[in-house]
Amino acid sequence: MKIRLMLAKVAPIKIKRKKNIKKKKQNHRGFLFVSCLYKLRSNQTHLLSGLSVLVPAIFSLSVQAATQTTGQMVQFDIKAQRADKALIEYAKQTEQTVVFSYELAKQYDANSVYGFYTQLDALEALLGGTELDAVVDQNGLLSIKLKQINRNDNNMMKLSAVSAAVLPALLAVNSQGVNAAEEVAQEKIEKIAIVGSRVAGRSVEDLPVPVDILSAEALENTGQTEVGRMLQSIAPSFNFSSSAISDGTDALRPATLRGLGPDQTLVLINGKRRHQASIIHINGSVGRGTAGTDMNAIPASAIKRIEVLRDGAAAQYGSDAIAGVINIVLKDGSEGGKAAINYGQYSEGDGETINLDFNKGFALGDDGYLNTTINYRDRAPTNRAGLHGSCQFYGCTELSDGTLLAGDPRELTADRDTFRIGDADSQQFGLTINTGYELGDGELYGFITYSTRENESAAFFRHNANAGGNPVLQDNDATIPLGFLPKINTTIDDISYNFGYKTEFDNDASLDLSYTYGENSIDYTTSDTINASYANFLRYNQGLSAADIRTTIPREAYAYGMELSLQTINIDFTQNFDDYSLAMGAEIRTDEYRILEGNEYAYRDYDTTNGVSIYNGLSGGVGSEDASGGSQGFGGSSPASSVDESRDVISFYIDAEAYVIEDVILSGALRYDNYKGFGDTVNFKLAGNWSVTDDISLRGALSSGFRAPSMQQLYFNNVSTQFVVGANGNLVAEEVGTFRNDSTLAQSLGIPKLKEEKSQNRSLGIVYNVTDNINVTVDYYSIDIDDRIVISDRLGKGLSTSLDAALNSAGAGVGQFFLNGADTETRGVDFVATWNTEGLGGTLDFTLAANFTKTDVVSLFSPAGSSLETVNVDDIFSAEDISIIEEWQPEDRINLSALYQRDDWTVNLSLNRFGEYTVEDGGRQTYGAEILTDVKVNYFVTEDLSVNIGANNLFDVYPDKNEIGNSRSGTIVDASGNTVISSSGVFDYSRRSAPFGFNGAYYYVGAEYRF
């Protein structure tokens, strides 16, 4: 086994080159001993199936020993600082050897120790409130480990349990004994690749595929309060696009990896499959036609780290893992914690956000832990809408130059700030509990996550001159004379829980049995609205006057609800041998999906029966006779659209990893899945890593993958108002029916059942340790997806006689369907470079990370043998549909960050470049690349209290102004020719895709108290 060593002096100097190791080790006992990145062979665990647990580099401080006992008092002068620095000071002041992980220790803050203490008491005081524990192995080597690791390591003893007779012998060990102990420790460990969690975005070095380890510190340094935005800030391959007036998508943004769809990335919690959100994106936004995972349901303060596997992994973890896997690891400390508050707002004075965090670890006796997190976030809405330039009242006359002459005198004083376009008003409460307890020869573990979020976003403004949405009454004025802005209120509840038992055997094998349940529900209520047809019902059926109708008509309705749940039973067995490891397991899963009907007022058309107006000819020429049914802004779902469906899945896998020769690691996986619905699928993965030299490694992988149709794609159906670009270039409302795959209409067209998407992934990368503190990784990837599930364009009448007949029978004017209809190719490169050094009296960590991705739709096709086969494929899938897949996300993302730490100060500076992207929405517009600057400064006022100040998008950068797909544009003049309003429309910025939003600069302050 090849072990790479590095040496550095305890005093702050540059790390020496490895070629001098042997000489330096012999001549200097006061040197910092640095071993590279390893995994404990005596206690391997698996965070993800088939991948060994990743543990940090081990650092050992070796200084000249002196014969001191625990009973002797030593004077200490160690200030509160990062734990790695504090341990160095401890080793120097006691002249003893301490083995610890530098990458691990620097995640924590140690306490100050002043005055006279025994060495044992000083060490316990130093590490109090952290997740670090001092342990002694059977060879008498003192080391610092995570407490969770200690509980599972039978070869380790807690320092507190070491007798006074043993400890003096340990502390008095001479340098020869120290070296022997270090050699014993080295024999127990073999090299593995894992990045230091302090360096955001650095890839795991020796795995066959790229993995990013993003620590809690790195996430916190972004200054963001949402997990999705945090990931976007430090992982260039991750996108978290914004849109506006897109119904539920305003409340739950699509998260993507490597430019693919939200449903092509698998999310795990503590290595267990996470359920998806119940919403499906059906409007024009990134991820249209897909359903992803709610990344913001987990409070950031509950996260210990996030692991991003940037490679196809369906053969290891099953469906959805085409672009990669995101594993969220929850905090597991048994003591200590923090309370934090953060307040900020945008430079425009809106979007005021308050974020409160509380985290606390509790010890369950000597053998367990319970870590709990509570989070509350209140975010006010933002608004970047342009002015309403079109006429709001009847009576306008178009002049020869295209301007509009106001007719109704109310037009001259009408409010022109009628839209709300930006982030939704949002309040979220989150609770997370993570626990574990030693029981018998193993550990009983589990977690609970719960969040509830209230959101309010706005729909399109309904002005006075809107006969369908704001009908004219018998007094010849609209139901709501000054117009109204419907609000879409969403309540998103998300809960999951897991419990399991993992036992370790003496032969280096383990068995893990677990059960996981997760559910996401969303309820829609439309407020500040009316059902326009109900106004006619009140007039003609109830005989109410115009004044009574205005005071009587309901302004709010429950539209409908959706629920999606996932139950999973997993059994996983692992066996580790000298040169290879083997894993196998099985999974039983049940998916459930429900659509709950809304209130009748939300969906009913009160003035129409079977498509015929029932009040025709009753108006006497004054007012409306036939208006739109359902609540304006967001219509309801009727009992006929209710859904209650389930699906069972059973899976088996086998996974192996072996050192075929000393410098070559090969891994392989094979997985079988059986889905109720489309049947079986078998997928494989082969990967390898070759350490060409001590500093250069090559890695590569070849795999097949799949994604099963989501429950939403199979069963979602409703009728919604979608605004599409009309003949004049402005947006017009259109009632669009989305028909489930097995609906009568779909069957009458001969549309087949959805089948799984199939993928082929290839990757090749290089890891180059340029120097001991400069690391570079480059990975090329290729992802081909066949039979990609897409949602069709809005198909209307006149395309084919059979489609016309089907739409007529369903009572729909326009319909859209989910189809296996596209083949795509994605090519890209990931680049990560890190440099850790010292300067300006402190430490400096630089990271340059980039992602370059391009996706092409190489084939479009309609279902063979169906009525759609006779329709031109360009009518089934519009240019906009193709553009969403190919162009709506940046083709490149680059992040350059610098982290500076000195004494009680920490400064994080980040430059994020968002590359060009193109939106097709009636016309085509390419939005230029932009660079956003984020900065955060943190200062420890005391050992436990810190304050911070920062800015995201410091220089107030916005995307290019919107030139296509606008609405409510125009110029209005009065009788004297004076301009009342002139506006290019309400959408100053693209409402379809905004990779970094369009809110501008965000400034914040915060405070944190650790205990």
Side-chain angles (χ1 to χ4, degrees):
M1 188 64 55
K2 181 178 294 185
I3 303 293
R4 292 193 303 173
L5 304 178
M6 297 181 288
L7 287 174
K9 288 185 178 180
V10 173
I13 64 169
K14 292 183 178 180
I15 297 175
K16 304 298 182 182
R17 297 306 304 269
K18 295 188 288 291
K19 62 183 179 181
N20 297 322
I21 287 176
K22 191 171 294 184
K23 179 178 178 181
K24 299 288 185 181
K25 186 172 180 181
Q26 291 172 349
N27 295 337
H28 299 277
R29 293 176 181 174
F31 277 9
L32 177 63
F33 172 83
V34 184
S35 73
C36 213
L37 302 169
Y38 304 94
K39 62 184 177 183
L40 290 176
R41 189 180 285 200
S42 61
N43 185 27
Q44 288 183 345
T45 57
H46 287 254
L47 290 176
L48 301 173
S49 302
L51 294 178
S52 301
V53 66
L54 304 179
V55 297
I58 295 178
F59 281 57
S60 168
L61 296 177
S62 180
V63 294
Q64 187 172 6
T67 56
Q68 300 182 20
T69 68
T70 53
Q72 293 177 331
M73 304 294 288
V74 178
Q75 185 175 8
F76 289 89
D77 184 7
I78 305 175
K79 67 178 180 180
Q81 57 190 305
R82 241 174 38 208
D84 59 294
K85 297 181 178 181
L87 287 169
I88 292 174
E89 286 298 318
Y90 175 88
K92 292 165 62 176
Q93 294 181 27
T94 60
E95 296 186 337
Q96 303 302 331
T97 295
V98 183
V99 178
F100 70 98
S101 163
Y102 177 55
E103 299 291 345
L104 171 65
K106 63 184 178 181
Q107 299 181 51
Y108 300 95
D109 292 316
N111 306 306
S112 62
V113 180
Y114 293 100
F116 287 89
Y117 290 83
T118 66
Q119 294 174 15
L120 173 58
D121 289 341
L123 194 55
E124 290 180 339
L126 195 70
L127 300 179
T130 71
E131 299 179 9
L132 303 175
D133 212 6
V135 296
V136 181
D137 69 6
Q138 63 268 35
N139 297 290
L141 184 65
L142 172 65
S143 59
I144 307 300
K145 303 288 184 182
L146 270 178
K147 292 180 179 179
Q148 183 182 20
I149 296 177
N150 299 339
R151 288 193 297 272
N152 297 326
D153 192 344
N154 296 326
N155 296 322
M156 293 290 186
M157 299 180 293
K158 287 188 176 180
L159 180 60
S160 58
V162 179
S163 67
V166 175
L167 189 59
L170 165 70
L171 297 179
V173 65
N174 59 26
S175 61
Q176 181 178 358
V178 170
N179 290 337
E182 290 170 351
E183 291 173 3
V184 171
Q186 291 172 21
E187 289 175 0
K188 295 180 182 180
I189 54 182
E190 67 183 29
K191 182 173 145 187
I192 194 174
I194 185 172
V195 295
S197 58
R198 183 176 165 196
V199 183
R202 182 178 174 186
S203 300
V204 175
E205 293 180 6
D206 291 341
L207 289 177
V209 291
V211 177
D212 300 327
I213 306 297
L214 310 176
S215 70
E217 179 188 17
L219 296 171
E220 186 177 324
N221 282 338
T222 65
Q224 302 284 352
T225 58
E226 300 178 347
V227 172
R229 289 294 187 208
M230 290 177 175
L231 278 171
Q232 185 180 43
S233 296
I234 55 180
S237 59
F238 182 90
N239 280 300
F240 199 60
S241 186
S242 296
S243 59
I245 312 187
S246 50
D247 297 346
T249 306
D250 292 347
L252 204 156
R253 299 188 187 108
T256 67
L257 198 63
R258 286 182 162 177
L260 295 179
D263 53 5
Q264 290 162 336
T265 297
L266 176 63
V267 179
L268 311 173
I269 302 290
N270 284 356
K272 309 299 181 183
R273 176 179 284 267
R274 177 76 170 171
H275 58 278
Q276 289 184 330
S278 54
I279 186 177
I280 186 164
H281 308 287
I282 60 171
N283 286 303
S285 69
V286 170
R288 171 172 142 82
T290 68
T293 301
D294 186 356
M295 299 301 299
N296 291 335
I298 304 295
S301 53
I303 297 174
K304 181 178 181 179
R305 67 177 179 273
I306 296 179
E307 302 162 354
V308 183
L309 169 61
R310 292 182 274 115
D311 196 68
Q316 296 163 293
Y317 309 115
S319 178
D320 307 343
I322 292 178
V325 179
I326 297 175
N327 182 37
I328 298 175
V329 181
L330 302 177
K331 290 182 177 178
D332 54 7
S334 60
E335 59 183 1
K338 72 172 186 179
I341 182 172
N342 183 281
Y343 170 84
Q345 68 176 19
Y346 288 96
S347 56
E348 292 290 325
D350 57 7
E352 184 179 66
T353 301
I354 298 175
N355 191 79
L356 302 174
D357 288 314
F358 177 83
N359 173 264
K360 181 70 174 73
F362 302 92
L364 302 179
D366 293 330
D367 300 317
Y369 68 92
L370 186 147
N371 192 280
T372 184
T373 302
I374 298 174
N375 168 261
Y376 175 75
R377 183 174 68 248
D378 187 341
R379 186 191 69 198
T382 61
N383 188 11
R384 301 294 178 270
L387 297 178
H388 192 141
S390 61
C391 286
Q392 298 185 33
F393 297 88
Y394 294 99
C396 285
T397 304
E398 184 174 355
L399 303 178
S400 59
D401 60 357
T403 60
L404 298 169
L405 175 64
D408 193 313
R410 291 176 294 181
E411 196 75 66
L412 306 179
T413 58
D415 182 10
R416 296 295 163 181
D417 191 10
T418 57
F419 277 68
R420 198 173 86 190
I421 302 170
D423 287 348
D425 189 6
S426 175
Q427 298 84 40
Q428 175 169 308
F429 171 81
L431 170 67
T432 301
I433 297 173
N434 190 33
T435 186
Y437 189 83
E438 283 188 19
L439 186 64
D441 294 328
E443 182 183 45
L444 184 66
Y445 63 87
F447 64 78
I448 299 173
T449 70
Y450 170 75
S451 70
T452 181
R453 186 187 316 153
E454 302 282 345
N455 289 272
E456 182 192 81
S457 58
F460 271 71
F461 181 76
R462 267 62 174 177
H463 48 248
N464 180 288
N466 184 337
N470 194 5
V472 175
L473 302 180
Q474 55 266 47
D475 63 355
N476 210 27
D477 202 358
T479 305
I480 310 297
L482 297 182
F484 58 96
L485 181 66
K487 310 297 193 308
I488 303 172
N489 302 273
T490 57
T491 300
I492 303 175
D493 290 323
D494 193 289
I495 186 170
S496 68
Y497 56 85
N498 160 270
F499 56 87
Y501 183 74
K502 182 173 184 177
T503 184
E504 306 280 343
F505 302 106
D506 294 336
N507 63 346
D508 216 8
S510 67
L511 184 66
D512 188 352
L513 178 64
S514 66
Y515 171 82
T516 307
Y517 176 82
E519 180 179 307
N520 179 277
S521 65
I522 183 168
D523 289 296
Y524 293 102
T525 298
T526 313
S527 61
D528 295 334
T529 187
I530 62 170
N531 182 326
S533 67
Y534 192 69
N536 288 337
F537 172 81
L538 293 176
R539 175 184 177 183
Y540 299 114
N541 188 279
Q542 303 296 310
L544 271 61
S545 66
D548 289 339
I549 291 173
R550 293 188 177 101
T551 58
T552 302
I553 192 166
R555 301 300 306 276
E556 181 175 298
Y558 173 69
Y560 64 92
M562 294 185 293
E563 297 175 355
L564 184 137
S565 65
L566 171 67
Q567 297 183 72
T568 310
I569 297 175
N570 291 96
I571 182 168
D572 302 286
F573 173 80
T574 63
Q575 174 75 64
N576 299 309
F577 302 94
D578 288 339
D579 294 318
Y580 70 96
S581 61
L582 181 68
M584 61 184 68
E587 179 178 279
I588 300 173
R589 205 172 94 209
T590 299
D591 301 319
E592 295 181 316
Y593 180 62
R594 289 171 289 277
I595 296 180
L596 311 177
E597 66 185 76
N599 295 339
E600 181 182 78
Y601 182 76
Y603 63 80
R604 183 176 169 183
D605 190 342
Y606 287 90
D607 58 15
T608 302
T609 301
N610 296 324
V612 178
S613 175
I614 59 178
Y615 303 128
N616 188 33
L618 299 182
S619 67
V622 180
S624 169
E625 296 176 350
D626 189 359
S628 300
S631 50
Q632 286 293 301
F634 194 85
S637 181
S638 69
S641 298
S642 297
V643 170
D644 188 356
E645 299 287 349
S646 65
R647 175 176 66 184
D648 295 323
V649 184
I650 186 168
S651 308
F652 302 94
Y653 74 89
I654 184 169
D655 192 315
E657 179 182 309
Y659 286 85
V660 293
I661 57 176
E662 184 177 10
D663 296 321
V664 177
I665 305 172
L666 291 181
S667 64
L670 190 67
R671 185 180 180 100
Y672 167 82
D673 294 87
N674 180 274
Y675 277 75
K676 176 185 175 183
F678 70 81
D680 314 273
T681 179
V682 177
N683 292 276
F684 76 92
K685 182 168 187 174
L686 296 174
N689 183 293
W690 175 27
S691 297
V692 182
T693 69
D694 287 343
D695 296 317
I696 298 176
S697 297
L698 299 178
R699 60 190 181 193
L702 173 66
S703 66
S704 64
F706 79 104
R707 189 189 70 80
S710 68
M711 297 293 285
Q712 301 94 315
Q713 289 172 330
L714 288 169
Y715 301 114
F716 178 80
N717 63 123
N718 86 333
V719 177
S720 64
T721 303
Q722 297 185 22
F723 283 79
V724 298
V725 179
N728 62 354
N730 280 325
L731 297 179
V732 294
E734 188 173 61
E735 297 298 315
V736 180
T738 303
F739 297 93
R740 55 189 278 179
N741 191 242
D742 61 351
S743 65
T744 302
L745 188 148
Q747 291 179 349
S748 68
L749 293 175
I751 296 176
K753 290 184 178 180
L754 293 177
K755 58 184 178 180
E756 76 277 20
E757 299 175 348
K758 299 176 182 178
S759 67
Q760 300 84 41
N761 290 61
R762 295 168 291 277
S763 65
L764 182 65
I766 183 172
V767 180
Y768 180 29
N769 295 308
V770 183
T771 67
D772 293 327
N773 55 356
I774 298 178
N775 173 276
V776 176
T777 68
V778 182
D779 292 275
Y780 167 81
Y781 57 88
S782 167
I783 307 170
D784 296 340
I785 304 176
D786 295 334
D787 298 321
R788 189 161 171 168
I789 299 172
V790 290
I791 190 170
S792 73
D793 192 17
R794 296 162 286 271
L795 306 180
K797 297 176 182 178
L799 295 175
S800 76
T801 55
S802 55
L803 177 60
D804 291 349
L807 290 173
N808 285 329
S809 64
V814 177
Q816 56 188 17
F817 314 89
F818 290 98
L819 307 167
N820 291 100
D823 295 339
T824 64
E825 294 179 352
T826 299
R827 305 289 184 265
V829 174
D830 288 324
F831 173 87
V832 181
T834 63
W835 176 32
N836 307 320
T837 187
E838 295 175 346
L840 304 177
T843 61
L844 284 164
D845 298 327
F846 296 94
T847 300
L848 175 62
N851 171 260
F852 304 89
T853 293
K854 182 172 177 55
T855 295
D856 292 312
V857 176
V858 296
S859 178
L860 290 171
F861 44 88
S862 56
S866 71
S867 298
L868 296 182
E869 192 174 19
T870 60
V871 179
N872 190 317
V873 72
D874 292 332
D875 291 324
I876 299 176
F877 304 108
S878 68
E880 178 182 328
D881 296 322
I882 299 171
S883 180
I884 290 173
I885 296 174
E886 293 184 339
E887 302 175 315
W888 282 27
Q889 300 183 73
E891 288 190 359
D892 63 88
R893 286 275 321 282
I894 302 174
N895 170 266
L896 174 62
S897 64
L899 178 65
Y900 171 66
Q901 294 180 312
R902 178 177 179 178
D903 299 328
D904 296 323
W905 291 91
T906 300
V907 179
N908 190 80
L909 176 66
S910 179
L911 302 177
N912 276 288
R913 182 186 189 273
F914 293 81
E916 289 185 352
Y917 61 100
T918 299
V919 172
E920 176 125 9
D921 186 23
R924 284 179 61 82
Q925 182 177 352
T926 297
Y927 297 83
E930 301 289 353
I931 297 177
L932 275 61
T933 304
D934 300 338
V935 63
K936 180 179 181 181
V937 179
N938 189 82
Y939 174 70
F940 272 91
V941 181
T942 68
E943 297 176 17
D944 303 313
L945 177 64
S946 66
V947 295
N948 63 80
I949 185 171
N952 293 326
N953 191 4
L954 176 65
F955 299 112
D956 202 26
V957 175
Y958 282 82
D960 294 343
K961 286 293 187 75
N962 183 43
E963 299 173 358
I964 59 173
N966 219 318
S967 182
R968 310 302 192 264
S969 61
T971 298
I972 302 174
V973 297
D974 61 16
S976 300
N978 299 313
T979 300
V980 177
I981 181 68
S982 181
S983 172
S984 59
V986 294
F987 294 111
D988 282 348
Y989 307 98
S990 173
R991 76 181 186 100
R992 300 299 192 183
S993 177
F996 56 89
F998 43 78
N999 289 318
Y1002 179 81
Y1003 306 109
Y1004 61 88
V1005 294
E1008 179 177 292
Y1009 182 79
R1010 298 185 180 183
F1011 45 84

